[in-house]
Each structure stands twice: as C-alpha cells, then as structure tokens.
Amino acid sequence: MAFVFWIVYAIYLLIQAFIAYRYISTDNRLYFKSLLVSNIIFAVYVAADEVFGIGVPYLIRCLVIVAMFLHTYFGYFKDLYTRSQIFDRYLHVYGCFAYALFVYSLFARIFRASISPAPFAALMVAFTGMATGGVFEIIEYFIDKGMPVKTQRSLKDTDVDLICDAIGSAAAGIAAWIFML
C-alpha cells in the first residue's frame, strides 16, 4: 500500500503544481495561498511520518489527499464553492470523514493511546471529526474577517456546514468501529 500512496501523492503534487501555475499566471493570490498552505502542512506531516515513523495507515493518508484534491481542484480551480452549495455540503461530509480518521490515527499513534472498548473509541473518532470541522469553521471565520472574499454566506450556512461535519464524523466513527478498532 505504501507504493500506491507514493504514486497517488506524486500525481496529486503534479496536479497541484499545475493549479499553482494557473493561479500565479492569473494573479489569483488568495487561492494560491490556500493551496500553498494546505500542501505545506500535509508535506510537513509526510516528512515527519517518514522521519519519526508515525504510521498513519496509507489508506487514510490517501483519503486526505482526495479531500485536499476536491478542495483545491473542484472547489477553487473549477469554482464549485461559488457555483454550487451542494458541492460544499458534500465536501464537508467527506472532508470530516477523512480528517476524523486522519487526526484520530495521528494522535493515537503519537501519544500511543489505546482506547477501549471499541464503541468508545468510535465515539472518539466521531468527536475528533466534529472538533476538526469546528476548527475549519473558525478558520473560515478568520478568513472572512481578513479577506475580501467571503467563505461563510450566513449563519445558516455555518450551521449546515457543522451538521454536514457531524454526518461525516459519525460515518468516520462507524467506519473506524467496523474496519479499524
């Protein structure tokens, strides 16, 4: 599975380089910064995993790459965030699913935590996803405060995003219970 991850990651990085080039050539600094920050954070994780052997499962890493690809390519590059509310909702569900599994796996391995029984661990996965979704909403709030582009349309938009985050997080908890715990 490691080989598959590295192939997926290499293809992802090539696509990101193309998108970054397009952002630079069209002077789209806001989207370029978003792409750059998210990719640097994930690259730091990948490097840390290689150096310290953290060991988040490769499948979960691939789920995160898919979430980041959907965000940068379809959300920003294809402009589905502004053209479709449905896309944003589905990405919140999927993104929280992927990030709940990733963050839980990351913390469980870093802190060598073993949570039992399995239903309680599944709840921890779900709660981790909900907390991650909440952090994303806080980040959107601060982006809105400092940038001319508004990512949060209204309080209802934020509420629906959080509901979608909860759905994705619950699905991650169930998936973790069935496949991981």
Side-chain angles (χ1 to χ4, degrees), residues 51-105:
V51 170
F52 300 111
I54 298 168
V56 171
Y58 290 108
L59 178 61
I60 294 174
R61 296 182 207 183
C62 288
L63 293 174
V64 170
I65 288 172
V66 169
M68 290 171 50
F69 172 76
L70 293 171
H71 167 68
T72 57
Y73 183 76
F74 289 105
Y76 283 143
F77 189 67
K78 292 296 185 181
D79 203 30
L80 288 181
Y81 282 134
T82 57
R83 295 189 300 137
S84 168
Q85 273 192 321
I86 302 290
F87 173 78
D88 184 50
R89 304 298 185 234
Y90 283 126
L91 189 55
H92 271 273
V93 171
Y94 176 77
C96 269
F97 175 83
Y99 286 113
L101 294 171
F102 178 76
V103 172
Y104 177 82
S105 295

Side-chain angles (χ1 to χ4, degrees), residues 11-137:
I11 292 168
Y12 168 77
L13 288 175
L14 288 172
I15 294 168
Q16 295 301 292
F18 168 75
I19 294 170
Y21 169 77
R22 292 293 301 268
Y23 288 159
I24 291 169
S25 65
T26 59
D27 200 33
N28 191 336
R29 292 182 184 156
L30 178 63
Y31 289 175
F32 176 73
K33 286 178 188 177
S34 174
L35 180 142
L36 197 61
V37 167
S38 62
N39 280 287
I40 287 173
I41 291 170
F42 191 71
V44 166
Y45 157 73
V46 170
D49 194 283
E50 288 301 306
V51 170
F52 300 111
I54 298 168
V56 171
Y58 290 108
L59 178 61
I60 294 174
R61 296 182 207 183
C62 288
L63 293 174
V64 170
I65 288 172
V66 169
M68 290 171 50
F69 172 76
L70 293 171
H71 167 68
T72 57
Y73 183 76
F74 289 105
Y76 283 143
F77 189 67
K78 292 296 185 181
D79 203 30
L80 288 181
Y81 282 134
T82 57
R83 295 189 300 137
S84 168
Q85 273 192 321
I86 302 290
F87 173 78
D88 184 50
R89 304 298 185 234
Y90 283 126
L91 189 55
H92 271 273
V93 171
Y94 176 77
C96 269
F97 175 83
Y99 286 113
L101 294 171
F102 178 76
V103 172
Y104 177 82
S105 295
L106 181 66
F107 285 173
R109 281 160 177 75
I110 288 174
F111 299 114
R112 301 194 187 331
S114 177
I115 299 173
S116 60
F120 185 70
L123 279 174
M124 294 286 71
V125 172
F127 293 155
T128 300
M130 287 181 228
T132 304
V135 168
F136 284 140
E137 288 303 313

Side-chain angles (χ1 to χ4, degrees), residues 109-164:
R109 281 160 177 75
I110 288 174
F111 299 114
R112 301 194 187 331
S114 177
I115 299 173
S116 60
F120 185 70
L123 279 174
M124 294 286 71
V125 172
F127 293 155
T128 300
M130 287 181 228
T132 304
V135 168
F136 284 140
E137 288 303 313
I138 292 168
I139 290 169
E140 283 185 5
Y141 170 79
F142 283 115
I143 289 171
D144 284 354
K145 286 293 189 190
M147 300 290 182
V149 175
K150 300 300 177 204
T151 58
Q152 294 177 322
R153 295 178 180 101
S154 66
L155 183 57
K156 181 182 175 190
D157 176 64
T158 301
D159 291 345
V160 174
D161 285 352
L162 289 170
I163 291 167
C164 291

